[in-house]
Amino acid sequence: MEIHGYQMPENLYYEKNHYWVRIEGDILVMGMDDFAQKMAGDIVFVKIPFVGKKLQTGKKFAQVESGKWLGKVYAPVNGELIEGNEALEADPEFINQDCYGTGWMYKIKPVDMGEVENLIHGTDAIDKWLLADIEKYKEH
Amino acid sequence: MKLYNLGKVPWQESQLIYHALALCGEEALCLLSPASPYVCIGFHQDVTQEVDLEYCRQNHIPVFRREVGGGAVFLDGRQLFFQLILHRNSPHAPKRIDAFYRKFLQPIINVHHKIGVPASFKPVNDLMVGQRKISGTGVGEIGDSIAFVGNLILDFDYETMSRVLKIPDEKFRDKVKKTIEENLTTISRELGQESLNRWDEKTLNDLMSKEFEKILGPFTFGRMDAVLIDKIQELKTTMLDDGWIYKKAGQLTGRVVKVRAGLEMVQRMHKASGGLIKTNFEIREGKLANINISGDFFCFPHTLVQDMEKHLEGAALGDIREILMAVYDDPMNQIPGVTIEDWMMTIKK
């Protein structure tokens, strides 16, 4: 669905720092959402941590750089990193071009798949959360 | 909020202090400059690709990797650093990147105006005098803090800056130096060398602290306490370690030197099955400029490379593929073993 010009697929789960999560069998795929990539501008670097890295919900586990800002990536669930999108090492702009497709960032094996239910999901919740953030980002 | 008005400090501390404050979660403004020169690379850069390490070693110029993005820069005591550390969720910090820079570059603009330099903000994060940049800035999220760092450039050593960068050929190095000279100005260049007697480090730091107080409220005097000193010592063991400085990032096939917002100099190399392709070009406001193509591939007619340069000159980045397709569509043009994809690899940022 589109909310104020931002594409936010309603079938995805969202971490509050604007990373999306998709369930694929018993693993999770995550990436940056459309709102975040538009706010960040041109992405110039994505850190791909080593496979096997333990992730803790809400803790940073990687960095992403837009040229103007070196930001962090937060784990959406407890789990283990099982793959990073290596194509982003050479072409980080995939995130800007196709953030839900070729611009995916990491694959995670969650400790408990049920944790995704703690993420933002469902049309109403996504809508409410994004509208609030759009308002926040209008400040100053 | 605390103000650390430190003047000249050992070069290592000119970087470690803001990392330490950020990791300690202490909000502060640091005003300082390094007692000796060094090279500072961006968080994700590969030092072996970016810096002429042999030159630096011979000239006793150390190298540091910051936890802030951007490119390699040569820093010395003629650049006065401002480093603002805020909590990640500070009410002072606008969420939008452009609004953040606009807000916190305003004090620096005001200082330039006070001393007679007509600096203005150019989104996203540049401070310009006419077409020339006069301050470098960046932001990194460190710990649970945001570190906003930048410099007031009294004077700049263009020669050493172009020397410390790893650039494979001297022609390109000379071009880099000239382009930096054309696109980066300094306070002494704007006001004359004698102005530096009037606008010394202490006076300018006082002006900066007053301007930052206008948006952040009154400062209290910060001292390097035991906690901060311990954190700096701890960081010395990690951030001055070769493992940190030499850590590898993604593979680069060439060089991109960002001169200012809207101007990058690019050098690329790519091995196509038909031979090596080398390109040198600039990206000026999103368009190709001064493109030069060379290599050891064969082409027919022999003027084809020159024709391609002509067609590509001034082209928007999004139009490159179409221009190349038109070249390949002409049956007279032959470049065996070099495809449009090969060209796309060499004519990109």
Side-chain angles (χ1 to χ4, degrees):
Chain A
M1 64 181 168
E2 188 185 315
I3 305 171
H4 285 247
Y6 302 107
Q7 292 298 330
M8 304 293 287
E10 58 267 41
N11 58 334
L12 299 180
Y13 293 79
Y14 295 89
E15 192 269 343
K16 65 178 181 181
N17 293 295
H18 288 278
Y19 290 94
W20 57 263
V21 171
R22 183 171 60 227
I23 300 171
E24 284 187 4
D26 59 351
I27 64 153
L28 300 173
V29 183
M30 75 174 280
M32 189 183 280
D33 74 18
D34 192 36
F35 179 77
Q37 71 83 13
K38 282 188 170 121
M39 285 294 153
D42 293 343
I43 304 294
V44 298
F45 169 73
V46 177
K47 183 172 179 179
I48 311 289
F50 62 90
V51 167
K53 185 168 179 142
K54 300 283 179 231
L55 309 185
Q56 207 182 329
T57 309
K59 299 281 179 197
K60 72 128 192 173
F61 71 96
Q63 280 100 341
V64 57
E65 184 184 341
S66 72
K68 312 295 177 193
W69 197 283
L70 177 63
K72 291 181 174 173
V73 186
Y74 297 87
V77 294
N78 292 302
E80 185 182 316
L81 187 77
I82 55 168
E83 192 181 339
N85 184 355
E86 285 177 11
L88 297 179
E89 286 187 345
D91 294 299
E93 65 269 23
F94 283 163
I95 293 179
N96 298 110
Q97 291 163 5
D98 183 13
C99 64
Y100 300 111
T102 51
W104 70 272
M105 295 167 78
Y106 310 106
K107 289 185 181 172
I108 300 166
K109 173 101 180 148
V111 171
D112 172 9
M113 187 58 95
E115 278 187 38
V116 291
E117 296 304 322
N118 300 330
L119 299 171
I120 300 155
H121 63 285
T123 314
D124 291 347
I126 296 167
D127 196 58
K128 192 177 158 197
W129 161 67
L130 189 69
L131 288 175
D133 268 10
I134 289 170
E135 202 51 42
K136 257 192 235 167
Y137 278 65
K138 268 188 199 158
E139 288 168 11
H140 309 281
Chain B
M1 190 180 295
K2 282 186 183 166
L3 169 69
Y4 291 87
N5 196 342
L6 301 174
K8 287 274 178 293
V9 298
W11 76 266
Q12 301 93 327
E13 287 181 21
S14 70
Q15 291 291 326
L16 292 174
I17 187 167
Y18 73 84
H19 287 87
L21 285 163
L23 290 167
C24 291
E26 186 178 327
E27 296 198 311
L29 175 69
C30 300
L31 302 172
L32 49 84
S33 64
S36 59
Y38 62 102
V39 172
C40 189
I41 60 168
F43 176 74
H44 80 264
Q45 291 190 300
D46 180 343
V47 69
T48 62
Q49 295 285 332
E50 301 290 335
V51 179
D52 187 334
L53 292 168
E54 183 56 23
Y55 177 85
C56 289
R57 195 186 57 75
Q58 283 172 4
N59 290 277
H60 311 290
I61 300 171
V63 181
F64 184 85
R65 179 192 298 280
R66 61 187 181 268
E67 206 173 326
V68 174
V73 282
F74 175 72
L75 301 171
D76 66 16
R78 290 172 295 176
Q79 299 168 45
L80 309 185
F81 300 175
F82 49 88
Q83 301 163 343
L84 176 66
I85 298 96
L86 297 170
H87 289 309
R88 199 167 160 256
N89 296 315
S90 163
H92 287 300
K95 294 276 185 198
R96 288 181 69 102
I97 294 172
D98 52 352
F100 184 99
Y101 279 113
R102 188 183 291 277
K103 178 173 179 175
F104 293 116
L105 273 173
Q106 193 58 51
I108 305 303
I109 291 172
N110 294 348
V111 169
H112 280 94
H113 288 180
K114 280 213 164 120
I115 66 173
V117 178
S120 59
F121 176 69
K122 182 181 177 187
V124 174
N125 68 335
D126 275 328
L127 207 59
M128 309 291 288
V129 177
Q131 290 304 304
R132 293 189 174 119
K133 182 170 162 168
I134 197 166
S135 172
T137 57
V139 169
E141 290 179 20
I142 303 172
D144 288 323
S145 306
I146 299 170
F148 164 61
V149 299
N151 55 4
L152 213 67
I153 306 174
L154 302 178
D155 208 347
F156 193 71
D157 187 343
Y158 297 95
E159 177 66 34
T160 309
M161 172 72 204
S162 67
R163 204 57 208 77
V164 297
L165 294 178
K166 185 171 184 182
I167 294 167
D169 69 82
E170 292 310 305
K171 242 186 183 174
F172 190 60
R173 186 186 303 285
D174 197 42
K175 213 174 149 196
V176 166
K177 184 184 165 220
K178 281 190 183 131
T179 310
I180 297 172
E181 276 173 348
E182 281 166 18
N183 287 278
L184 178 78
T185 189
T186 67
I187 289 170
S188 72
R189 213 164 134 183
E190 294 299 315
L191 301 178
Q193 194 68 33
E194 63 284 359
S195 68
L196 300 186
N197 297 328
R198 185 176 173 203
W199 304 117
D200 60 16
E201 184 161 2
K202 186 185 175 310
T203 310
L204 289 168
N205 282 349
D206 287 345
L207 285 176
M208 280 197 278
S209 68
K210 279 184 189 133
E211 290 298 329
F212 273 106
E213 271 190 329
K214 288 181 187 169
I215 53 172
L216 293 166
F219 293 122
T220 56
F221 187 65
R223 284 182 190 282
M224 300 270 270
D225 61 16
V227 175
L228 189 55
I229 291 168
D230 282 354
K231 195 71 191 171
I232 289 173
Q233 288 304 326
E234 183 192 322
L235 287 178
K236 277 183 182 170
T237 63
T238 53
M239 298 192 86
L240 300 180
D241 182 73
D242 280 356
W244 168 258
I245 293 164
Y246 285 84
K247 85 183 171 83
K248 291 247 182 206
Q251 285 295 308
L252 281 177
T253 50
R255 294 279 288 118
V256 180
V257 179
K258 185 186 165 193
V259 178
R260 60 162 167 80
L263 175 58
E264 285 161 306
M265 300 177 72
V266 185
Q267 186 174 57
R268 291 251 168 249
M269 277 166 284
H270 170 65
K271 185 93 181 115
S273 60
L276 184 71
I277 308 171
K278 288 187 194 173
T279 55
N280 280 320
F281 55 92
E282 294 165 15
I283 301 174
R284 287 183 177 262
E285 322 303 338
K287 291 184 175 172
L288 291 180
N290 298 318
I291 184 159
N292 178 274
I293 299 169
S294 59
D296 59 5
F297 55 90
F298 291 99
C299 69
F300 182 84
H302 70 277
T303 54
L304 182 56
V305 164
Q306 283 163 280
D307 290 343
M308 283 173 67
E309 287 172 351
K310 251 186 250 170
H311 292 316
L312 289 163
E313 188 68 27
L317 294 183
D319 295 339
I320 294 171
R321 185 178 291 275
E322 210 174 310
I323 292 167
L324 293 168
M325 281 165 72
V327 170
Y328 275 73
D329 279 348
D330 184 340
M332 285 296 288
N333 296 334
Q334 298 293 326
I335 317 175
V338 180
T339 64
I340 289 177
E341 291 315 314
D342 290 321
W343 289 110
M344 293 303 289
M345 294 281 288
T346 53
I347 310 173
K348 63 180 261 186
K349 269 205 268 187

